[in-house]
Amino acid sequence: MDKIFIKNLRAHGIVGIHPHEREIQQVILINVTVYTDTHRAAQTDDIADCIDYDALAKKLKSHTESAARYTVEALANDLARICLKEQGAEKVILSVEKPDAVPSAQSVGVEVERVRE
Protein backbone atom coordinates (compact mmCIF):
# COMPACT_ATOMS: atom_id res chain seq x y z
CA MET A 1 0.00 0.00 0.00
CA ASP A 2 1.26 3.46 -0.88
CA LYS A 3 1.28 6.37 1.56
CA ILE A 4 0.74 10.08 1.53
CA PHE A 5 1.88 12.05 4.54
CA ILE A 6 1.68 15.40 6.26
CA LYS A 7 4.45 16.17 8.75
CA ASN A 8 4.25 18.59 11.65
CA LEU A 9 1.06 20.35 10.63
CA ARG A 10 0.87 23.22 13.10
CA ALA A 11 -2.47 24.34 14.52
CA HIS A 12 -3.49 26.43 17.51
CA GLY A 13 -6.37 25.20 19.59
CA ILE A 14 -7.87 24.27 22.90
CA VAL A 15 -7.09 20.76 24.10
CA GLY A 16 -6.55 19.68 27.67
CA ILE A 17 -8.17 19.05 31.02
CA HIS A 18 -6.49 21.77 33.10
CA PRO A 19 -8.19 25.15 33.50
CA HIS A 20 -5.31 27.05 31.87
CA GLU A 21 -5.51 24.69 28.84
CA ARG A 22 -9.21 25.52 28.43
CA GLU A 23 -8.56 29.29 28.31
CA ILE A 24 -5.53 29.78 26.07
CA GLN A 25 -4.92 28.18 22.69
CA GLN A 26 -1.75 26.14 22.45
CA VAL A 27 0.35 24.77 19.63
CA ILE A 28 -0.82 21.36 18.44
CA LEU A 29 1.28 19.33 16.00
CA ILE A 30 -0.35 16.77 13.74
CA ASN A 31 1.44 14.06 11.78
CA VAL A 32 -0.52 11.92 9.35
CA THR A 33 0.22 8.95 7.13
CA VAL A 34 -2.68 7.88 4.93
CA TYR A 35 -2.42 4.52 3.19
CA THR A 36 -3.88 4.47 -0.31
CA ASP A 37 -3.32 3.07 -3.78
CA THR A 38 -1.64 5.71 -5.96
CA HIS A 39 -1.44 3.66 -9.18
CA ARG A 40 -4.38 5.40 -10.89
CA ALA A 41 -3.12 8.84 -9.86
CA ALA A 42 0.30 7.99 -11.26
CA GLN A 43 -1.22 6.91 -14.56
CA THR A 44 -3.60 9.84 -15.01
CA ASP A 45 -1.50 12.55 -13.36
CA ASP A 46 -4.83 14.06 -12.25
CA ILE A 47 -5.49 15.48 -8.78
CA ALA A 48 -9.01 14.02 -8.98
CA ASP A 49 -7.38 10.59 -8.62
CA CYS A 50 -5.28 11.64 -5.61
CA ILE A 51 -5.84 12.34 -1.96
CA ASP A 52 -5.33 16.11 -2.00
CA TYR A 53 -3.01 16.61 0.97
CA ASP A 54 -3.46 20.40 0.89
CA ALA A 55 -7.24 20.06 1.20
CA LEU A 56 -6.83 17.36 3.87
CA ALA A 57 -4.42 19.53 5.86
CA LYS A 58 -6.94 22.39 5.82
CA LYS A 59 -9.70 20.08 7.10
CA LEU A 60 -7.49 18.74 9.90
CA LYS A 61 -6.32 22.20 10.94
CA SER A 62 -9.83 23.63 10.87
CA HIS A 63 -11.21 20.83 13.05
CA THR A 64 -8.31 21.06 15.48
CA GLU A 65 -8.74 24.81 15.89
CA SER A 66 -12.49 24.55 16.52
CA ALA A 67 -13.00 21.25 18.39
CA ALA A 68 -11.91 22.27 21.93
CA ARG A 69 -11.47 18.64 23.02
CA TYR A 70 -10.42 17.63 26.52
CA THR A 71 -8.06 14.83 25.47
CA VAL A 72 -5.59 14.37 22.65
CA GLU A 73 -7.03 10.87 22.31
CA ALA A 74 -10.44 12.29 21.36
CA LEU A 75 -8.90 14.80 18.97
CA ALA A 76 -6.73 12.15 17.32
CA ASN A 77 -9.77 9.93 16.75
CA ASP A 78 -11.71 12.86 15.27
CA LEU A 79 -8.87 13.57 12.86
CA ALA A 80 -8.43 9.90 11.92
CA ARG A 81 -12.14 9.76 10.99
CA ILE A 82 -11.70 12.84 8.79
CA CYS A 83 -8.78 11.17 7.00
CA LEU A 84 -10.69 7.95 6.39
CA LYS A 85 -13.52 9.89 4.72
CA GLU A 86 -11.11 10.75 1.90
CA GLN A 87 -11.74 8.82 -1.31
CA GLY A 88 -9.21 5.99 -1.50
CA ALA A 89 -8.00 6.21 2.11
CA GLU A 90 -7.73 2.68 3.50
CA LYS A 91 -5.74 3.20 6.70
CA VAL A 92 -4.37 6.11 8.70
CA ILE A 93 -1.68 6.48 11.33
CA LEU A 94 -2.02 9.84 13.00
CA SER A 95 -0.37 11.56 15.94
CA VAL A 96 -1.40 14.62 17.90
CA GLU A 97 1.27 16.32 20.01
CA LYS A 98 1.29 19.14 22.53
CA PRO A 99 4.88 20.42 22.50
CA ASP A 100 4.41 22.88 25.37
CA ALA A 101 2.35 20.68 27.73
CA VAL A 102 5.14 19.22 29.89
CA PRO A 103 8.04 21.63 30.54
CA SER A 104 10.71 18.92 30.83
CA ALA A 105 9.63 17.09 27.64
CA GLN A 106 10.06 18.10 24.01
CA SER A 107 6.51 16.96 23.32
CA VAL A 108 3.70 14.71 24.55
CA GLY A 109 0.84 13.20 22.63
CA VAL A 110 -0.86 10.16 21.23
CA GLU A 111 -0.67 8.12 18.04
CA VAL A 112 -3.63 6.17 16.67
CA GLU A 113 -3.95 3.68 13.84
CA ARG A 114 -7.33 3.22 12.18
CA VAL A 115 -8.59 1.35 9.13
CA ARG A 116 -11.58 1.95 6.91
CA GLU A 117 -14.49 -0.23 7.99
Side-chain angles (χ1 to χ4, degrees), residues 29-44:
L29 295 177
I30 303 160
N31 285 281
V32 182
T33 302
V34 179
Y35 292 74
T36 188
D37 184 346
T38 64
H39 286 96
R40 178 149 176 78
Q43 290 172 351
T44 65

Side-chain angles (χ1 to χ4, degrees), residues 35-60:
Y35 292 74
T36 188
D37 184 346
T38 64
H39 286 96
R40 178 149 176 78
Q43 290 172 351
T44 65
D45 200 20
D46 187 341
I47 189 68
D49 294 322
C50 300
I51 294 176
D52 183 340
Y53 50 80
D54 182 51
L56 179 57
K58 287 176 183 172
K59 290 175 191 176
L60 298 175

Side-chain angles (χ1 to χ4, degrees), residues 6 18-19 22 30 44 46 50 53 65 67 73 79 81 85-88 90 98:
I6 301 169
H18 301 294
R22 305 304 302 162
I30 303 160
T44 65
D46 187 341
C50 300
Y53 50 80
E65 292 181 344
E73 290 83 355
L79 299 177
R81 276 193 299 275
K85 288 180 182 177
E86 295 293 308
Q87 181 70 22
E90 295 298 325
K98 298 184 343 177

